[in-house]
């Protein structure tokens, strides 16, 4: 489409952020390799599961919360079924975890709630006696469907780990050393431990984005509602491309221009997306340096990244 083709004519990332907003359907129809996560519609999977853990009997179920989560799952499923949309196995595992949490809660209610014990589990009977519980059952069913669809849409990159793994190591190293991800639940006081680095799924999504930019003929993009990706992709791209790593990063610098990647931020609850990053417009940092850490450690990280970059050109 014309709006997507115009991306190549814009020279400033800031200009893109200010002026470029697309409908979801435009992106789905124009982009050929869209990598997505679970945040696109489900901004609060952890918040939802935290709430569900605290529900000990069906009477505590909140129909509004359940329906919102059901709507989110349904929208996410619609996106994932599009032929140009893919994901990675870690996202499928997250979907499986949600389905398992819902199944365990349903089985718990079946065993411990007197009214549900005597129910013959016919849909009509459940709908008449407990429409809220019916929504929970429907949510579990859709969660299972999501997991199955996700499993069928996983990117086939495991056979190429000798190229993918170095990218994962680089992104993880830089992310953890610079604290590129934020645990918003921790910052809001929902739990006592900062869990921002407990999962490396985001880093693997970024590594997959780089992998397909470097080694495929399709220009990849990430579609997400997770703000961490702005810093994850923006900072790691500028550091990996720095002059300090020449000539080991030549393939990265060359291919991200020849086969550029993009980052789209999906506005939750809306069918609009903002273009946040286009690799055609990213400016590399002249020399590798991480501030706010000892210079010795910065030099160690630089050497670790360099050794991984050497593997990409082999």
């Amino acid at each position: 489409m014309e709006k997507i083709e115009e991306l190549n004519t814009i020279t400033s990332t800031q200009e893109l952020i200010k002026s470029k907003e697309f409908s979801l359907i435009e992106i789905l129809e124009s982009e050929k390799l869209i990598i997505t996560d679970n945040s696109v519609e489900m901004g609060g999977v952890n918040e939802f599961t935290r709430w569900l853990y605290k529900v000990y009997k069906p009477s505590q179920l909140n129909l509004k919360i359940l329906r919102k989560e059901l709507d989110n799952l349904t929208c996410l499923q619609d996106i994932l079924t599009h032929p140009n949309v893919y994901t990675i196995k870690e996202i499928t595992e997250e979907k499986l975890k949600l389905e398992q949490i819902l199944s365990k809660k349903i089985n718990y209610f079946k065993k411990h709630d007197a009214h549900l014990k005597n129910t013959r589990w016919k849909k009509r009977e459940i709908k008449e006696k407990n429409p809220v519980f019916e929504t929970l059952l429907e949510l579990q069913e859709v969660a299972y469907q999501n997991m199955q669809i996700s499993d069928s849409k996983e990117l086939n990159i495991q056979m190429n780990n000798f190229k993918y793994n170095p990218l994962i190591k680089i992104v993880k190293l830089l992310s953890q050393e610079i604290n590129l991800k934020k645990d918003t639940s921790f910052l809001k006081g929902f739990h006592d431990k900062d869990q921002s680095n407990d999962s490396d799924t985001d880093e693997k999504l970024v590594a997959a984005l780089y992998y397909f930019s470097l080694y495929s003929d399709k220009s990849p993009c990430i579609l997400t509602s997770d703000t961490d990706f702005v810093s994850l992709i923006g900072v790691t791209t500028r550091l990996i491309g720095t002059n300090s790593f020449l000539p080991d990063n030549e393939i990265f610098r060359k291919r991200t221009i020849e086969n550029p990647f993009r980052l789209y931020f999906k506005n939750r609850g809306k069918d609009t997306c903002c273009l946040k990053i286009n690799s055609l417009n990213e400016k590399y940092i002249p020399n590798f340096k991480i501030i706010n850490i000892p210079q010795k450690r910065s030099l160690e990280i630089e050497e670790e990244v360099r050794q991984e970059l050497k593997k990409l050109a082999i």
Side-chain angles (χ1 to χ4, degrees):
M1 298 180 72
E2 290 185 2
K3 288 183 76 175
I4 299 295
E5 292 171 356
E6 288 172 10
L7 297 177
N8 296 337
T9 67
I10 301 178
T11 58
S12 165
T13 300
Q14 289 302 317
E15 188 178 347
L16 286 169
I17 293 173
K18 290 178 181 177
S19 65
K20 287 298 171 182
E21 185 172 88
F22 303 92
S23 69
L24 177 61
I25 191 64
E26 281 182 297
I27 293 171
L28 293 177
E29 292 181 351
S30 301
E31 296 286 359
K32 303 306 179 186
L33 179 54
I34 304 168
I35 307 170
T36 193
D37 62 0
N38 285 323
S39 75
V40 175
E41 282 298 337
M42 300 185 66
V45 173
N46 290 331
E47 293 178 16
F48 172 75
T49 54
R50 241 190 324 268
W51 166 78
L52 192 60
Y53 274 129
K54 297 177 182 178
V55 175
Y56 298 106
K57 50 187 178 180
S59 61
Q60 294 175 320
L61 291 170
N62 185 303
L63 183 58
K64 185 178 180 179
I65 293 176
L66 292 175
R67 282 181 174 167
K68 180 181 179 182
E69 201 69 11
L70 182 59
D71 289 343
N72 290 341
L73 269 178
T74 302
C75 290
L76 190 58
Q77 184 168 303
D78 290 342
I79 292 172
L80 198 55
T81 53
H82 193 279
N84 295 339
V85 177
Y86 301 89
T87 192
I88 60 175
K89 69 180 183 68
E90 286 77 12
I91 298 298
T92 303
E93 290 167 358
E94 288 182 4
K95 294 178 186 293
L96 174 60
K97 183 178 179 181
L98 175 61
E99 192 278 332
Q100 290 174 335
I101 290 171
L102 289 164
S103 295
K104 287 179 181 178
K105 184 62 67 172
I106 288 169
N107 289 332
Y108 176 84
F109 288 155
K110 286 180 182 180
K111 292 179 181 178
H112 297 90
D113 186 270
H115 296 291
L116 294 176
K117 276 183 180 180
N118 299 322
T119 303
R120 295 192 299 275
W121 298 105
K122 293 181 179 178
K123 279 193 173 182
R124 182 177 177 182
E125 186 176 0
I126 295 171
K127 186 173 182 178
E128 291 174 352
K129 290 189 174 182
N130 198 329
V132 181
F133 190 72
E134 180 201 25
T135 305
L136 181 65
L137 292 174
E138 186 178 357
L139 183 60
Q140 183 270 331
E141 184 177 338
V142 174
Y144 181 74
Q145 293 170 358
N146 259 268
M147 183 269 297
Q148 288 185 309
I149 294 169
S150 182
D151 182 65
S152 70
K153 301 299 292 289
E154 290 177 7
L155 291 164
N156 185 24
I157 50 179
Q158 300 309 311
M159 292 179 65
N160 300 289
N161 276 343
F162 63 96
K163 300 292 188 184
Y164 182 46
N165 277 345
L167 290 167
I168 294 174
K169 290 178 181 178
I170 291 170
V171 178
K172 283 182 64 175
L173 176 63
L174 295 176
S175 173
Q176 292 173 6
E177 292 289 343
I178 311 175
N179 295 318
L180 294 178
K181 297 191 299 183
K182 305 299 180 186
D183 183 354
T184 53
S185 295
F186 169 72
L187 295 174
K188 291 178 181 179
F190 290 134
H191 50 248
D192 299 328
K193 179 179 175 288
D194 187 347
Q195 300 174 3
S196 54
N197 290 319
D198 285 4
S199 168
D200 61 2
T201 299
D202 290 353
E203 288 88 344
K204 288 181 177 178
L205 283 163
V206 174
L209 179 77
Y210 291 156
Y211 175 85
F212 283 96
S213 177
L214 269 59
Y215 302 111
S216 80
D217 58 357
K218 291 183 178 180
S219 181
C221 70
I222 282 181
L223 177 64
T224 183
S225 294
D226 185 346
T227 56
D228 281 340
F229 282 98
V230 176
S231 55
L232 265 176
I233 297 175
V235 174
T236 59
T237 297
R238 292 191 289 272
L239 285 174
I240 294 171
T242 182
N243 295 338
S244 298
F245 292 128
L246 287 171
D248 299 313
N249 62 353
E250 282 183 342
I251 185 173
F252 184 88
R253 291 170 64 129
K254 180 182 178 182
R255 288 297 295 158
T256 54
I257 297 300
E258 293 177 345
N259 192 38
F261 61 77
R262 288 176 278 277
L263 169 67
Y264 293 99
F265 185 83
K266 168 81 167 54
N267 299 308
R268 291 189 186 123
K270 299 180 181 179
D271 288 327
T272 58
C273 307
C274 297
L275 177 64
K276 291 296 186 182
I277 292 176
N278 178 2
S279 64
L280 286 175
N281 306 309
E282 289 304 296
K283 305 298 182 183
Y284 302 130
I285 298 171
N287 298 297
F288 185 93
K289 185 178 181 181
I290 300 176
I291 60 174
N292 298 328
I293 67 171
Q295 183 180 10
K296 180 182 177 182
R297 180 54 185 151
S298 181
L299 291 171
E300 290 173 349
I301 296 168
E302 180 179 348
E303 184 57 28
E304 289 180 54
V305 172
R306 179 178 287 106
Q307 293 306 313
E308 296 302 325
L309 285 172
K310 289 178 183 294
K311 301 174 185 177
L312 299 182
I314 297 175

